[in-house]
Amino acid sequence: MANKSISHGADSRLEIESTFKDRLSYLGRLLWRDRTGVVGILIFTTVVIAAVFAEFLTPYKPLDQDLYASKMPPMWEEEGSPEHPLGTDNLGRDMMARIFYGARVSLGVSFFGAIIAAILGVVLGAVAAYVGGRWDEIIMAPVNLVLSLPYLLFVVFIASVLGSSLLNVILIFGVTNSPIFARVTRGEVLKIRESAYVESAISAGARWWRVLLFHVMPNLVGPLVTLISFQISAMIFYEAGLGFIGLSVPPTVPSWGNMLSEGRRYISSYPWLTTMPGLAIMYTSLGMNLLGDWLRDVSDPRTRRSGR
Amino acid sequence: MRAQPLLRVNDLKKHFYIPTGLFGQETIEVKAVDGVSFDLNAGETLGLVGESGCGKSTTGRTVLKLYRPTSGNVFFDEKDITSIPGEELNKLRTRIQMVFQDPYASLNPRHTVKTIVSEPLVIHGLMKGAELDERVKELMELVGLNPSYMKRFPHEFSGGQRQRIMIARALSVNPDFVVCDEPISALDVSIQAQVVNLLQNLQERLGVAYLFIAHDLSMVKHISHRIAVMYLGKIVELAGRHEIFDNPLHPYTQSLTSAVPIPSPKMERKRQRIILKGEPPSPANPPKGCVFHPRCPIARDICKTEVPQIAEVQPGHFAACHFAGTPIQDT
Amino acid sequence: MASILKVKNLVTKFHTVDGVVNAVNDVSFLLEDGETLAIVGESGSGKSVSMMSIMGLLPMPPAKVEGGQALFNSKDGPVDLIQLPYEAMSDIRGGQIGFVFQDPGTSLNPILTIGKQISETLIRHLGISGREAKDKTVSLLAEVGIPDPTLRFDAFPFQLSGGMRQRVMIAIAVACAPRIVIADEPTTALDVTIQAQIVNLFKELRVKMGVSTIWITHDLGLVAGLADRVLVMYAGQILESAQVDELYENPKHPYTIGLLGALPRLDTQESKRLVSIDGTPPDSTILIHHCPFAWRCAHAFERCWNEKPALTTVGEKHTVACFYAMEEGR
């Protein structure tokens, strides 16, 4: 027997056993290579920290009024003071505290909204793709209908019917965003089902549920995580939009949308009342977009290695 | 050799129906596989060659019942796998495995080598825990991979190594029969030889039978015991590997064998090539009569109307041609 | 014989995020007038990249031709293709040097008729009128063996089969009577019987037009019946170069010997195992200062790991870059 061909080839590429440290440094290089991803992660982390540790980061409560110190400009302006770094609003509430606490609403609504949308959409899309035929049509018809509606108008309509509460907003975002997840999931599942490795699993004797669980689902994670991060970014916008027209959380809750809405009246005389929450929205949304881009590249092991 | 062949394929047909027209109200019937019959003995390699679109891959997949056959039978160990219930078929899948063409697409990019190689064992609940680990190591050594790579992902390997992973996976359940669908055509020449040698060594050691599907005639001749030549959904000739090259009876086989390059400039200069005119017709619209007649240098009137049946022209040498064995004058 | 193209010390690198890929490392060769030269190598050997570098067809960045000359004996006297400005280069490309690529499906414009694509080349390089160009296109189509050329003039690429599209590519390549045709794996995507047709067409055109051809391929079998001379490339370098008969009968480099042994032979009845070369080609991001084949070579000794062998003449028009072959030859 020609044993030579069975021996381990002198393989210059795989000669070195990779250790945990190697992998860590590899991840580091990966991050460094895509510096925008690092920026995205940094932005996202700062927003999460601001939201979670708001109590510790600022001595003020978002609803504490101090009429003596109302309409104070940010500290870098002439009349500003370091006590209220981002100034105060018309009722003397600390802007920084309101933005930090407001991040809770923005992140909470968009995060839970996106999760609900993802769960609903993945189930619908997977069933449509997997069962196919009649069920595909029954599921995808309303999905496509919703996707063809002007989104903001649709959301405004539902929100005005249901009334404003935190739970309502989350549910509205969850339901109205599920169609995009359904469509993406359906497309991905159909693609994965056609792949050679699924064919290979079937030829090895795998049943449908095994194919779904071990082959389809893991390959869905990448595209879904990416979509979720983009959707979170979009929902931060839409939540602010709803807040601006008074259809998001009740006006007593500090949210970026509500702040914009309240500050609108003073936009010419006290511009920081609108620019500060506006900047917060822009900052967070930028971070999520950068993160999403990075996740799209990283989540695919094929593009991860070579970048070619 | 056993009295009964391991695999007996009898008049297998696979027709695809493709909806056309604005609302898909009409269908085109594509006869991808149109009445294919062959036997395969235990431990034997049957090469299946033909040009792209001739139905060789579809044949392989239909034999495995990855596609539901339109008609015909596939007997594996005397059981007709076209009609047995799903449960029983799944049990049989431990004895029938497949190696795919593209080693980049056929391995799930999110699974480690260990998961990939052990999947058939896990699916059939044959092993777990330490025993499974041992088996994966053993398999990786068998195909010439370092077992310490088993926690790695497919993208960390070269094409030839991936094909080894695929082979280890197929062999994990000790199959009697493996369909190899163009297993080397995506690989570089020096790597092709590695994989072909590996397949041959494994056959010697384990007694596995291969259906080796490829378009590279010289490689098929090298690895196979017998060769079947397909053209437009049909087997046009089937014979022993030397017989088919030394004494091709079908004009298509004659032209194929004359077109294969020989790595020797002296031989090449002496050779007479039979260069076919035109290109294979679409299987959606096959010619009447003998499917080869529009390109055939020796076609006569009968070929345009009557379909030649495959017949044993010489012992063990089958051909489907009205004028089998007629030499082609240089054109 | 006069040389028509003289490539000297060509070096091409790709600057990628994973590091610098050393695609072509100091490649020199000659193309003689009327000769068919085959450049043989596996994927990543630099065979395509070296030709693309010469013709300025690489995307830059990431690619960069870092050194070397390519002296082309053009109709207006010798020029260095590497130094040539863009305008002058595009006059030569498609005019004096024609190309045939591997995949005729993607190298033809899908939204233009094939007649239009060929006649545009003619108008661009020969400066003839539209009517003349049309007549010439039809005769070219006939020449490359396309049936009903007047009818096919108005066909779109998708209406043609792979073999027919490759014929169209060849028609474009030879349209302006070039001095050199570079064919990059022109038959790899085609079936055996169609491959035979295309190879035959190339041989006919060569007799008819006397054009020099560089044929880039991985298929040593194909080259045997086609080329006058063969270069074997590996890891961005030329390892061996010889006249075709000499290379097949008297290969010197262990890599060439291995490649030939890896091919199954139709001309023998024996069923030996194929000779396989263990391992895989080296990582091209590492700059290698010794023999690039040493890892996979059964004959490698100390010197092979310390120095890089240079191409050395071992016979008439036969050079090899291998210390083992040189020792043996002594």
Side-chain angles (χ1 to χ4, degrees):
Chain A
M1 170 165 290
N3 213 11
K4 196 157 178 256
S5 64
I6 302 199
S7 68
H8 308 306
D11 193 321
S12 49
R13 268 183 236 157
L14 288 170
E15 209 58 69
I16 314 143
E17 248 314 271
S18 80
T19 61
F20 178 68
K21 217 173 126 193
D22 284 341
R23 302 230 158 180
L24 213 67
S25 81
Y26 176 63
L27 200 72
R29 262 186 293 139
L30 204 71
L31 273 170
W32 181 242
R33 196 172 86 191
D34 197 345
R35 270 153 276 190
T36 56
V38 182
V39 175
I41 289 174
L42 281 178
I43 292 176
F44 178 68
T45 321
T46 52
V47 178
V48 170
I49 289 174
V52 174
F53 299 107
E55 274 99 341
F56 308 102
L57 292 173
T58 159
Y60 305 98
K61 290 271 173 281
L63 298 177
D64 285 350
Q65 300 183 10
D66 180 2
L67 290 173
Y68 293 106
S70 72
K71 297 163 193 159
M72 253 166 90
M75 57 185 284
W76 54 86
E77 304 251 324
E78 216 166 287
E79 295 136 58
S81 110
E83 275 175 47
H84 296 286
L86 299 181
T88 58
D89 70 359
N90 54 320
L91 297 173
R93 294 176 293 197
D94 182 58
M95 287 296 289
M96 196 162 87
R98 286 180 71 76
I99 283 176
F100 282 8
Y101 282 90
R104 290 182 174 180
V105 176
S106 283
L107 283 189
V109 166
S110 55
F111 185 76
F112 287 108
I115 293 295
I116 291 173
I119 292 172
L120 264 176
V122 167
V123 171
L124 289 174
V127 170
Y130 232 82
V131 182
R134 187 110 304 211
W135 279 102
D136 190 10
E137 285 167 31
I138 291 173
I139 292 171
M140 291 316 285
V143 160
N144 288 326
L145 180 74
V146 172
L147 283 173
S148 67
L149 294 174
Y151 180 74
L152 199 56
L153 214 63
F154 181 54
V155 170
V156 166
F157 173 75
I158 303 180
S160 58
V161 170
L162 292 179
S164 56
S165 85
L166 187 64
L167 187 68
N168 276 355
V169 177
I170 291 177
L171 286 179
I172 289 167
F173 278 142
V175 172
T176 56
N177 277 290
S178 58
I180 184 82
F181 282 93
R183 187 185 263 180
V184 168
T185 305
R186 178 174 173 274
E188 286 292 322
V189 170
L190 287 178
K191 197 174 81 192
I192 297 166
R193 257 181 50 155
E194 293 290 308
S195 71
Y197 55 83
V198 163
E199 204 175 20
S200 158
I202 293 169
S203 76
R207 320 286 162 85
W208 69 269
W209 53 266
R210 194 188 155 85
V211 171
L212 185 67
L213 236 56
F214 288 88
H215 293 280
V216 177
M217 284 302 173
N219 282 290
L220 263 180
V221 171
L224 283 182
V225 167
T226 309
L227 185 60
I228 284 176
S229 66
F230 285 131
Q231 285 298 307
I232 286 179
S233 157
M235 281 185 215
I236 287 170
F237 266 118
Y238 288 126
E239 192 279 327
L242 280 187
F244 187 72
I245 52 176
L247 288 172
S248 181
V249 292
T252 48
V253 181
S255 86
W256 295 344
N258 287 352
M259 288 168 76
L260 276 179
S261 162
E262 284 167 35
R264 187 177 51 120
R265 277 177 289 162
Y266 307 100
I267 194 158
S268 48
S269 29
Y270 314 119
W272 63 90
L273 296 193
T274 43
T275 43
M276 290 305 149
L279 283 174
I281 291 166
M282 202 188 87
Y283 178 75
T284 315
S285 168
L286 173 74
M288 290 311 297
N289 271 309
L290 293 178
L291 191 65
D293 264 344
W294 182 69
L295 282 170
R296 175 165 48 203
D297 295 344
V298 176
S299 62
D300 189 343
R302 284 157 294 191
T303 60
R304 195 162 60 193
R305 185 74 174 189
S306 59
R308 263 168 237 145
Chain B
M1 211 166 270
R2 298 165 15 157
Q4 286 298 335
L6 179 70
L7 182 83
R8 194 149 56 83
V9 176
N10 183 21
D11 200 22
L12 190 69
K13 289 184 182 173
K14 175 65 195 171
H15 299 179
F16 291 103
Y17 298 91
I18 298 165
T20 58
L22 196 52
F23 301 103
Q25 70 278 47
E26 284 162 40
T27 52
I28 295 179
E29 186 183 39
V30 177
K31 296 176 176 172
V33 178
D34 199 24
V36 159
S37 307
F38 59 85
D39 291 347
L40 179 67
N41 297 312
E44 185 194 32
T45 302
L46 177 70
L48 196 56
V49 287
E51 299 181 271
S52 49
C54 72
K56 55 190 192 297
S57 277
T58 310
T59 303
R61 282 171 163 73
T62 314
V63 165
L64 280 182
K65 225 184 160 187
L66 281 175
Y67 294 152
R68 194 186 303 276
T70 307
S71 70
N73 313 91
V74 177
F75 295 96
F76 181 77
D77 224 6
E78 294 305 295
K79 277 194 209 80
D80 186 355
I81 64 173
T82 54
S83 59
I84 62 171
E87 277 304 305
E88 219 176 310
L89 177 71
N90 262 329
K91 275 195 203 115
L92 266 184
R93 291 224 188 269
T94 59
R95 303 182 56 196
I96 309 173
Q97 290 287 312
M98 181 151 180
V99 172
F100 291 83
Q101 169 175 13
D102 183 354
Y104 292 86
S106 55
L107 305 178
N108 189 332
R110 284 176 195 279
H111 285 177
T112 60
V113 172
K114 189 197 155 188
T115 313
I116 290 166
V117 170
S118 63
E119 191 179 23
L121 290 165
V122 173
I123 286 172
H124 297 286
L126 297 174
M127 271 179 209
K128 54 181 153 189
E131 195 191 357
L132 189 68
D133 262 30
E134 265 318 298
R135 176 70 178 150
V136 172
K137 275 185 199 154
E138 184 189 317
L139 285 163
M140 288 185 72
E141 291 199 333
L142 187 70
V143 297
L145 287 170
N146 187 337
S148 63
Y149 296 159
M150 70 185 202
K151 293 272 165 59
R152 295 187 178 209
F153 290 90
H155 65 84
E156 298 177 69
F157 295 87
S158 65
Q161 289 171 322
R162 287 168 187 235
Q163 207 54 292
R164 287 170 192 264
I165 296 170
M166 194 72 224
I167 293 167
R169 169 190 165 95
L171 293 176
S172 64
V173 287
N174 279 324
D176 300 312
F177 170 47
V178 177
V179 174
C180 304
D181 184 14
E182 304 243 14
I184 53 166
S185 54
L187 305 175
D188 268 322
V189 181
S190 71
I191 311 295
Q192 285 189 353
Q194 290 176 7
V195 172
V196 163
N197 284 351
L198 174 67
L199 286 170
Q200 286 187 305
N201 291 342
L202 291 171
Q203 182 168 58
E204 262 174 28
R205 216 191 269 191
L206 309 170
V208 53
Y210 297 129
L211 180 63
F212 191 89
I213 301 166
H215 63 267
D216 180 350
L217 247 81
S218 42
M219 208 50 113
V220 169
K221 185 198 173 197
H222 178 79
I223 197 172
S224 310
H225 300 103
R226 288 184 301 143
I227 294 173
V229 180
M230 276 188 83
Y231 187 80
L232 221 64
K234 291 177 159 55
I235 290 182
V236 294
E237 186 157 4
L238 195 160
R241 63 189 191 114
H242 294 305
E243 179 71 9
I244 216 151
F245 277 89
D246 300 344
N247 180 26
L249 297 177
H250 196 284
Y252 179 61
T253 317
Q254 293 180 31
S255 77
L256 263 190
T257 52
S258 84
V260 179
I262 292 178
S264 156
K266 288 221 170 101
M267 301 270 306
E268 281 289 318
R269 277 194 288 271
K270 275 191 291 187
R271 279 175 98 193
Q272 287 241 316
R273 282 226 155 78
I274 301 157
I275 293 180
L276 289 179
K277 297 206 173 58
E279 304 188 13
S282 154
N285 189 18
K288 288 215 168 53
C290 172
V291 286
F292 185 61
H293 86 256
R295 298 178 79 194
C296 184
I298 58 165
R300 293 181 220 169
D301 284 345
I302 182 176
C303 305
K304 292 176 189 157
T305 50
E306 242 166 86
V307 180
Q309 296 304 315
I310 191 150
E312 192 161 4
V313 181
Q314 288 160 15
H317 193 151
F318 299 81
C321 176
H322 295 302
F323 304 102
T326 311
I328 299 173
Q329 299 307 313
D330 191 26
T331 46
Chain C
M1 249 190 271
S3 74
I4 188 158
L5 179 71
K6 193 177 199 175
V7 176
K8 268 199 265 178
N9 306 98
L10 185 71
V11 176
T12 304
K13 296 183 179 192
F14 287 88
H15 296 266
T16 72
V17 282
D18 286 328
V20 180
V21 175
N22 304 289
V24 180
N25 303 320
D26 198 3
V27 160
S28 307
F29 64 89
L30 281 178
L31 176 68
E32 280 165 7
D33 210 357
E35 166 185 61
T36 298
L37 175 71
I39 304 184
V40 179
E42 299 182 274
S43 47
S45 62
K47 59 187 190 300
S48 287
V49 176
S50 54
M51 291 323 296
M52 305 273 270
S53 314
I54 293 167
M55 296 317 299
L57 286 172
L58 290 173
M60 310 198 192
K64 195 166 175 240
V65 180
E66 309 216 325
Q69 280 183 313
L71 297 172
F72 170 55
N73 225 337
S74 79
K75 282 169 187 156
D76 323 307
V79 287
D80 182 1
L81 296 175
I82 306 281
Q83 301 298 333
L84 216 56
Y86 180 83
E87 274 303 312
M89 192 71 210
S90 45
D91 281 343
I92 286 180
R93 275 201 301 251
Q96 299 190 47
I97 302 182
F99 287 92
V100 182
F101 293 103
Q102 173 174 353
D103 187 354
T106 54
S107 35
L108 286 171
N109 187 336
I111 58 163
L112 289 181
T113 63
I114 56 164
K116 187 109 188 138
Q117 297 188 50
I118 300 174
S119 47
E120 255 177 22
T121 313
L122 290 168
I123 295 168
R124 159 83 176 75
H125 289 286
L126 303 183
I128 54 178
S129 72
R131 161 163 278 158
E132 276 177 287
K134 181 165 182 175
D135 292 345
K136 189 147 196 268
T137 301
V138 172
S139 68
L140 268 169
L141 286 175
E143 207 161 325
V144 295
I146 289 178
D148 304 326
T150 17
L151 221 77
R152 296 296 166 96
F153 185 90
D154 294 317
F156 286 95
F158 74 90
Q159 293 167 315
L160 302 177
S161 67
M164 283 298 152
R165 282 198 289 247
Q166 199 57 292
R167 286 174 190 269
V168 173
M169 280 302 297
I170 293 168
I172 294 174
V174 301
C176 310
R179 315 203 78 185
I180 304 177
V181 170
I182 299 175
D184 189 353
E185 304 259 9
T187 60
T188 306
L190 306 174
D191 279 318
V192 189
T193 57
I194 312 299
Q195 172 175 302
Q197 293 174 357
I198 297 290
V199 168
N200 219 35
L201 174 63
F202 262 97
K203 286 182 181 166
E204 280 172 27
L205 289 174
R206 185 183 161 201
V207 173
K208 241 186 260 176
M209 310 179 69
V211 61
S212 314
T213 311
I214 297 179
W215 188 288
I216 303 168
T217 181
H218 67 279
D219 191 344
L220 267 173
L222 190 65
V223 165
L226 186 79
D228 300 315
R229 201 156 55 87
V230 185
L231 300 179
V232 179
M233 279 191 79
Y234 184 80
Q237 297 171 39
I238 295 172
L239 295 189
E240 186 160 9
S241 149
Q243 295 295 107
V244 70
D245 287 53
E246 170 79 1
L247 189 91
Y248 285 81
E249 271 158 36
N250 191 16
K252 290 284 186 200
H253 200 288
Y255 179 63
T256 316
I257 296 168
L259 275 186
L260 287 169
L263 293 175
R265 303 291 294 243
L266 286 180
D267 48 338
T268 63
Q269 291 278 350
E270 297 165 66
S271 40
K272 283 186 293 192
R273 285 287 191 270
L274 299 173
V275 179
S276 80
I277 310 172
D278 271 353
T280 49
D283 185 343
S284 54
T285 56
I286 305 164
L287 196 57
I288 301 161
H289 296 289
H290 52 76
C291 173
F293 189 63
W295 283 285
R296 302 174 76 184
C297 184
H299 306 293
F301 57 102
E302 208 186 328
R303 194 171 172 201
C304 307
W305 291 101
N306 294 331
E307 281 176 67
K308 189 179 254 186
L311 277 173
T312 316
T313 307
V314 288
E316 195 199 341
K317 287 188 179 175
H318 190 168
T319 56
V320 62
C322 174
F323 294 126
Y324 175 75
M326 280 153 55
E327 299 263 314
E328 265 216 323
R330 225 179 270 158

